[in-house]
Amino acid sequence: GVFNNPGLKAARLQAGVADAQLLQAGLLPDPQFGAGFATSALNYGGELGLNEDIQALITRGAAKAAAAASSKQVNLNILWQEWQIAERARELFIQAHWDDELLAVLSANEHLLADRVQRDQAAMQRGDQTSTLVSVDLVALTDAQTSLRVLQTDTSATRHQLNELLGLQPDVQLHLIGRVTPPSISRETFQVSLADLPGRRVDLLALQAGYQSQEENVRRSILAQFPSMSAGVLMERDPVEGVNAFGPQVSITLPVFDRNRGHIAMERATREVLHQAYQAQLDAADGQAHQVWDAILILSAQVRDLDQQLPALKQNALAADQSERQGNLDAGVYTALETDLLTKEAESIRLHASLDRAQSALNMLLGLPFQAP
């Protein structure tokens, strides 16, 4: 689905540019042809020359290697963009799934509180209820309705973002199916994956390819400091004496002042910048992975604690429902117990959603094989 993303379609065109640059770097330089004509009172003469740039042949290998590494970097960067968009789609999928679960809980809570307010108003008309308590219940209902409307807006926005990411029309209604919870990662897997991060995460591999390309640029600059040379053959005829001559011709630039020192210094400085950028990216990836890992540990503990509380709350709510139907329990107490259960269920859903998104993000940060929902 992510291959229809409009941004990726534009990014893939960069691969064509990189391939063209690689082709250009591998082409041999065109030979140079020269001709001249002269006459005298007795004879005619002139010259014909054919030369080839030897310097371009010397630096051709380094130029081609630099272009190949640059092409590899471009393709890896495109792959990293695809990976990020796929991860974003998975996170939106997770969010949309849990939003649907949360909508059901918040709708049930809103219905419960609305029923409670109706009962309050009827009791107040009979003189069995005070206006203060009715006002308190009405405020609770208003808060529940506000939370429900906010969630409905957020759910709609999530769906639209998912459609946009997948290159779908805004009015397309996706039916979400498949596994929601990403595979959990053990501490051992986390540590091993973190140690192997430079050889697996695509953006780091792209930076390595960029450094390799720059290394070849440095080598090409060093090769270019040697005398620039062109060689060929020259055939000429003297217009006065009418004598023909044929032989080799060599032209050399003497490396006295320039010696390509400026270009070498610039290429080396650029190589150092790329090295520092790579190290910074590696350090950032390591720090982000540890941060998400710590968040997963905290969220997992919170989910376990809350899930242990829910069975007892559900049992109490079930007993309260039976007692309320039999007329043995005050409606206000029944509503409070039901509301407490629904509030805990909503909190559990939010925690599960946060945990699933964190686990999904950690999979990407560690460069682990992507698993679609």
Side-chain angles (χ1 to χ4, degrees), residues 94-104 151 154-155 158 349 353:
I94 292 171
Q95 187 63 50
H97 169 83
W98 287 113
D99 280 349
D100 291 343
E101 298 283 334
L102 190 57
L103 276 173
L151 180 59
D154 292 343
T155 300
T158 298
I349 289 172

Side-chain angles (χ1 to χ4, degrees), residues 40 43 237-243:
S40 68
N43 294 302
R237 176 183 175 84
D238 189 285
V240 176
E241 298 180 0
V243 178

